[in-house]
Amino acid sequence: MNIIKSILIPVISFLACLMMGNAAPQDNWYKSDSWGGVSGAENMIVTDDGLIWIAGNDKIAVHEQNGTLVKQFTNGLTGCTDVALDSIGNVYAKISNNLIKMDANGSQVWTVPVSQILSIAINKNDQIYATVKNFAVKILNVDGNVTQTISNTSLNQDVFHNWAGQDLIRFFHNGDFIVNVPGKSLRFFKSDNSFLKSLSGGNSKIAVNPEGLYYNNSKLYDPISGSVVSNMTGIPETYDKCAAFTPKGDLVIARGDNTIDIWTRTYRTHGTVVRNVPPQPRLTVTQRSGTNLVDMDVEILDPDDAT
C-alpha cells in the first residue's frame, strides 16, 4: 500500500498539471442541433426550464430544444416583436406601441400603451424594463404601471444620445443589464439602474450567457473590461437574426432562412465531449498480489483533438 501511495501522489500532480495545460476551454463551437419551420423570428429568450420562446411573425412560439412545438400564442399578437416572462409564468409581449400581459395559457390580462416601445425584459424582482425610442428605459410593475424612468435627466449625463432603432435590453443573472443601440454602442447598467459604461458593438443579436458574459458579433465579451473572452470559432456572424443562451450555456441562434441552430462549446480533450465541463483525468493503480509490482491505467489527454 505504501508503494501505491508513493507512486500515486506524484502521478496525480502530474496529471493535474497536464489537464490544466491541455484540457482548457477553447474557442471551438460545434452545431449540436438544427431545425426549421420558425419564420419571422425577431427576438427570443430561453427560460430556466430550457424552453425557447420566439417572438415574431404575429405570434409567440414555444419550442423544446429539439424543435418540438410546445405551444403557440397568436390571439392579439399582430406585430409582436419581443417576449418576456415573470417569475410565476405570466407572459409579456411588445406589440407596436403597446405592452401586453397574458397568463400562462395566452389569455390576455391587460394591455397598456407605451409610446415607441422597442424591447422588453424582466428582472428577478418582476420589474418590466422597456426601451423606448428617443427617450429612455421605462420600468413598469406587473400591473402595467410605470414606476420609474431611466433617462439622461435621472442619470445626469448624456447616456441616451442618438437613441434609436431596435434597441434590445437583456439582464444578467446578478440583476445588471445591457442595452444595445445598433450601429452605435452598448450601454451597461448596474442592478440599481445606475449607468456604468458604454461598450463597443451594438449588433441586434446580443445575448447574455449564464456566466455573465455577453454575445455580440459572434464573440463573447466580458462586460466589465469589454475584452473578448471567446472568439467562438466556427459560428458565422452574418446570418443570425436573434440569439439567446440556454441555462447550460449553449447558444441558440435564429437564422434568416427560418432555421434554429444550437451551438455547444467543445474542449481539447480525448473522448466524449462533456457539456462545458473539462473531464477529470482517470487513474487506476493496483498492486499485484504477493509482489511489489504496481499496474497503472491512465486516461491519455490528446492536446490536438478538439472533440
Side-chain angles (χ1 to χ4, degrees), residues 60-78:
I60 295 172
V62 185
H63 294 264
E64 294 180 354
Q65 292 183 33
N66 61 8
T68 300
L69 181 65
V70 177
K71 54 187 173 182
Q72 182 170 280
F73 304 148
T74 58
N75 187 32
L77 294 181
T78 301

Side-chain angles (χ1 to χ4, degrees), residues 144-158:
N145 301 311
V146 176
T147 60
Q148 184 179 348
T149 299
I150 307 172
S151 65
N152 289 338
T153 300
S154 69
L155 297 171
N156 196 30
Q157 56 182 309
D158 190 11

Side-chain angles (χ1 to χ4, degrees), residues 14-15 20 24 48 50 55 61 99 109 125 155 157 159 169 181 183 233 236 241 258-261 265:
F14 170 75
L15 288 175
M20 290 178 64
D48 290 341
L99 176 64
V109 177
N125 298 319
L155 297 171
Q157 56 182 309
V159 173
I169 180 169
V181 183
T233 304
K241 299 186 65 178
N258 303 331
T259 301
I260 298 293
D261 288 346
R265 193 175 189 174

Side-chain angles (χ1 to χ4, degrees), residues 41-59:
E42 295 286 346
N43 283 306
M44 71 164 71
I45 60 172
V46 181
T47 45
D48 290 341
D49 55 8
L51 293 178
I52 303 169
W53 295 67
I54 303 173
N57 200 26
D58 302 332
K59 63 185 178 183

Side-chain angles (χ1 to χ4, degrees), residues 40-244:
E42 295 286 346
N43 283 306
M44 71 164 71
I45 60 172
V46 181
T47 45
D48 290 341
D49 55 8
L51 293 178
I52 303 169
W53 295 67
I54 303 173
N57 200 26
D58 302 332
K59 63 185 178 183
I60 295 172
V62 185
H63 294 264
E64 294 180 354
Q65 292 183 33
N66 61 8
T68 300
L69 181 65
V70 177
K71 54 187 173 182
Q72 182 170 280
F73 304 148
T74 58
N75 187 32
L77 294 181
T78 301
C80 175
T81 58
D82 206 0
V83 59
L85 270 69
D86 64 22
S87 62
I88 61 174
N90 292 311
V91 183
Y92 300 79
K94 176 264 172 183
I95 301 173
S96 300
N97 289 317
N98 294 286
L99 176 64
I100 293 180
K101 178 179 181 178
M102 298 170 283
D103 63 23
N105 298 315
S107 297
Q108 190 173 127
V109 177
W110 50 249
T111 300
V112 296
V114 181
S115 179
Q116 295 186 306
I117 183 173
L118 297 170
S119 176
I120 58 173
I122 297 180
N123 68 8
K124 57 186 177 182
N125 298 319
D126 282 342
Q127 295 174 305
I128 308 161
Y129 283 58
T131 57
V132 181
K133 184 177 181 181
N134 292 330
F135 289 97
V137 177
K138 292 185 179 294
I139 303 174
L140 302 88
N141 60 25
V142 292
D143 295 320
N145 301 311
V146 176
T147 60
Q148 184 179 348
T149 299
I150 307 172
S151 65
N152 289 338
T153 300
S154 69
L155 297 171
N156 196 30
Q157 56 182 309
D158 190 11
V159 173
F160 299 109
H161 178 65
N162 290 331
W163 193 271
Q166 295 301 313
D167 305 349
L168 186 66
I169 180 169
R170 290 295 182 258
F171 278 96
F172 295 93
H173 284 288
N174 65 355
D176 296 346
F177 62 97
I178 194 167
V179 182
N180 76 302
V181 183
K184 301 185 184 300
S185 66
L186 303 167
R187 271 69 160 180
F188 181 40
F189 295 81
K190 300 298 290 181
S191 59
D192 62 2
N193 300 328
S194 61
F195 175 69
L196 184 61
K197 64 194 307 185
S198 291
L199 300 169
S200 61
N203 196 294
S204 60
K205 57 196 176 194
I206 188 173
V208 172
N209 81 351
E211 299 173 356
L213 306 174
Y214 69 90
Y215 167 76
N216 187 249
N217 292 328
S218 291
K219 293 181 176 64
L220 274 177
Y221 293 85
D222 181 336
I224 301 299
S225 66
S227 60
V228 176
V229 176
S230 170
N231 288 311
M232 305 183 76
T233 304
I235 301 181
E237 62 176 289
T238 57
Y239 64 66
D240 44 332
K241 299 186 65 178
C242 54

